[in-house]
Amino acid sequence: MSMRIVIAKPGLDGHDRGAKVIARALRDAGHEVIYTGLRRKPSEIVRVVMDEDAVAVGLSTLSGAHNVLIPKVCEELISNGMGDVIVFAGGIIPESDRDYLYSLGVRAIFGPGTKTSSIIDFLEIISERKNSQLDVGVGEKIGWRWS
Amino acid sequence: MEMVLSHDNNIALAKQGNRRELAKLLTIIESGERLPIKESNESWVLGVTGPPGVGKSTLIGVMIDEWVRRGEKVAVLAIDPSSPKSGGALLGDRMRMSSADNGESVFIRSLATRNHPGGLMPFLDSMINLLSYCGWTKIIIETVGSGQSEIRIVAFANRIMLVDGPDRGDIIQAEKAGIIELADIIVINKSDLPNSDAAAISIKKSLEYSNKGNDTIVMLTSSINNTGVSELIEELDNLHVDKDRSILRTKERLLSAWDYRLLSNPSLNDILLNLESGAINLDEALNHL
């Protein structure tokens, strides 16, 4: 099932090789990927997700600011009535920070060494969950996540 | 009936400025559904075309800033190709218009060509009507930027801007493609690079050579230095559209609809397989379709 997905680089982080590899992998799996480019504000990312009517947004961050930037994106999605959008993250996010992000509605965190096929599998599952009306969006009931 | 009524509500919300509703309605149009919006001949629609890499998206980005300063509401439909293998697409035009992701006066939507060559699909008309109805005063369509399908932009835009770069050496290519004769404005972008003056002169000469009374505007811009942009906006706003393209427009609209119908035919795959195996010939395939 082809989806529209935003791949975004929040904050002052100039490392986008990972984001570009993911964007390509998703394209090759048949998805339509909107790449935001570098150094975007959370509000800009939410605007892109809204205008593009994307189903999901992937946030790539390697700067260490994930505990500030990712919560902002989640909050703004929810406050703009987009709680059904699926949020996943990637980059350098220590294990000890992950539970906090999951508690905000992030449904998957992919660290270094992740196979692109895992991300494709994750997208298949979220698509199935969405179709079965199971909780998967950032503003929906917390519980299920990719592991 | 219920469906139509619920869309009416969404359309009303979009008209009041609800971007989320507008975005969702564009998705519905893209999926092939028709919305009950009256066709408008009043829409201001600029088609931006030109070879890949000449800076179309970046130039549109700075044009947006200039228009917003002048109080316009700018909507962009940016078309990028879908992969013929996977059907997926990497839509990267809007990353070059990044200053436009703030403020209520800009709306950018990326579109993949899906299985429609060139991506100039008949439903673009419905998208334009919706955007215009919702109060967007400048509507820009950025094309994929390659191939002879570029001429089809006349089916949807009532103003056409061709963007080229300096020293591309293929101004002859542009002439071959025919779009150069249809353009209202030709812009040599990246004028901060050498040879841009020469490129502009050679385009002007070539236009004069083929058509004595030619009044196509040729301009130089540099998106990085922001030079020539406000002049370009001035020209575009005052453009007197008098090129008679109505027959061509109608023809390209027909071809677009024809292509769309052909490519969305449910038995297309079976017919392709039969054609490939030699079970039927081209004429038979067309008759089946």
Side-chain angles (χ1 to χ4, degrees):
Chain A
M1 173 69 191
S2 168
M3 290 187 278
R4 286 172 72 83
I5 301 165
V6 171
I7 295 294
K9 287 291 302 176
L12 301 174
D13 162 10
H15 301 83
D16 64 349
R17 179 67 55 88
K20 283 177 175 161
V21 168
I22 302 303
R24 267 194 79 142
L26 301 191
R27 182 200 70 181
D28 292 343
H31 298 292
E32 291 181 0
V33 184
I34 298 105
Y35 177 51
T36 61
L38 289 170
R39 300 189 190 93
R40 310 314 300 276
K41 293 181 201 162
S43 60
E44 291 173 340
I45 292 169
V46 170
R47 164 63 60 86
V48 174
V49 174
M50 187 188 286
D51 287 5
E52 297 288 352
D53 194 20
V55 171
V57 54
L59 302 164
S60 163
T61 146
L62 291 84
S63 66
H66 46 269
N67 275 351
V68 177
L69 297 166
I70 295 176
K72 279 219 169 109
V73 174
C74 294
E75 280 161 24
E76 285 198 33
L77 282 171
I78 294 168
S79 66
N80 279 285
M82 295 191 286
D84 60 328
V85 171
I86 296 133
V87 177
F88 60 103
I92 306 296
I93 300 175
E95 281 292 342
S96 54
D97 288 347
R98 294 188 180 187
D99 279 343
Y100 169 58
L101 297 174
Y102 289 134
S103 78
L104 302 170
V106 176
R107 300 290 175 167
I109 298 174
F110 300 102
T114 305
K115 288 202 165 93
T116 52
S117 59
S118 302
I119 302 170
I120 310 298
D121 291 345
F122 164 73
L123 294 174
E124 295 248 334
I125 289 173
I126 60 169
S127 168
E128 281 164 21
R129 286 187 70 88
K130 220 175 151 60
N131 288 338
S132 326
Q133 305 199 320
L134 293 166
D135 297 316
V136 69
V138 63
E140 291 160 2
K141 205 170 131 257
I142 311 297
W144 179 85
R145 64 174 171 89
W146 172 260
S147 52
Chain B
M1 195 61 201
E2 203 175 296
M3 287 274 287
V4 174
L5 280 175
S6 74
H7 283 335
D8 277 350
N9 190 25
N10 299 338
I11 292 167
L13 286 169
K15 190 174 168 61
Q16 286 161 28
N18 185 322
R19 307 175 74 96
R20 174 105 159 126
E21 293 294 343
L22 175 60
K24 292 221 169 276
L25 288 168
L26 289 174
T27 305
I28 290 169
I29 295 174
E30 195 177 15
S31 74
E33 207 177 308
R34 287 237 162 224
L35 293 183
I37 293 178
K38 256 200 302 185
E39 213 170 300
S40 157
N41 296 320
E42 307 289 290
S43 317
W44 194 103
V45 188
L46 175 71
V48 179
T49 184
V54 297
K56 293 187 291 296
S57 305
T58 313
L59 179 60
I60 291 172
V62 291
M63 287 164 66
I64 290 172
D65 295 341
E66 185 66 34
W67 263 318
V68 169
R69 262 196 294 277
R70 294 172 185 221
E72 302 284 352
K73 291 192 72 185
V74 191
V76 183
L77 300 172
I79 306 168
D80 262 336
S82 296
S83 155
K85 273 192 189 160
S86 74
L90 193 48
L91 307 168
D93 284 335
R94 79 176 298 143
M95 67 178 275
R96 309 197 191 282
M97 309 171 192
S98 58
S99 64
D101 288 330
N102 298 297
E104 293 302 314
S105 304
V106 188
F107 184 95
I108 304 174
R109 180 59 172 257
S110 313
L111 298 171
T113 57
R114 306 220 167 150
N115 68 356
H116 199 87
L120 294 169
M121 300 142 286
F123 58 67
L124 280 176
D125 253 350
S126 307
M127 291 187 165
I128 291 164
N129 287 336
L130 175 66
L131 289 166
S132 178
Y133 178 75
C134 292
W136 298 90
T137 53
K138 302 283 174 187
I139 300 169
I140 303 175
I141 303 175
E142 179 180 351
T143 71
V144 169
S146 56
Q148 82 277 66
S149 59
E150 292 304 287
I151 288 178
R152 189 152 303 167
I153 191 65
V154 302
F156 306 101
N158 41 31
R159 289 152 178 81
I160 292 169
M161 177 169 111
L162 172 68
V163 186
D164 212 322
D167 201 24
R168 287 180 36 83
D170 64 356
I171 282 148
I172 297 297
Q173 294 291 349
E175 273 181 72
K176 267 200 281 188
I179 190 77
I180 196 168
E181 295 166 62
L182 295 171
D184 299 297
I185 285 198
I186 299 173
V187 173
I188 306 296
N189 191 31
K190 306 191 186 180
S191 67
D192 46 296
L193 297 180
N195 295 331
S196 42
D197 288 326
I201 290 168
S202 95
I203 283 197
K204 269 185 203 156
K205 285 238 163 86
S206 140
L207 286 167
E208 278 163 18
Y209 188 72
S210 53
N211 179 0
K212 279 278 183 288
N214 195 292
D215 55 357
T216 310
I217 300 158
V218 181
M219 299 191 73
L220 289 159
T221 57
S222 163
S223 306
I224 317 182
N225 298 340
N226 209 345
T227 52
V229 179
S230 71
E231 292 86 343
L232 172 61
I233 295 298
E234 210 68 46
E235 289 288 355
L236 284 169
D237 283 351
N238 296 322
L239 197 60
H240 179 56
V241 185
D242 60 353
K243 294 204 174 176
D244 187 15
R245 293 192 280 247
S246 54
I247 289 280
L248 187 62
R249 178 175 166 90
T250 312
K251 179 181 156 202
E252 290 297 332
R253 282 163 75 103
L254 179 68
L255 285 172
S256 172
W258 176 273
D259 279 5
Y260 188 73
R261 194 180 277 194
L262 176 77
L263 292 164
S264 1
N265 190 310
S267 50
L268 181 66
N269 270 340
D270 292 339
I271 289 168
L272 280 176
L273 288 174
N274 282 332
L275 195 57
E276 190 197 12
S277 69
I280 55 172
N281 65 28
L282 271 176
D283 277 333
E284 285 162 336
L286 286 174
N287 286 335
H288 284 305
L289 288 162

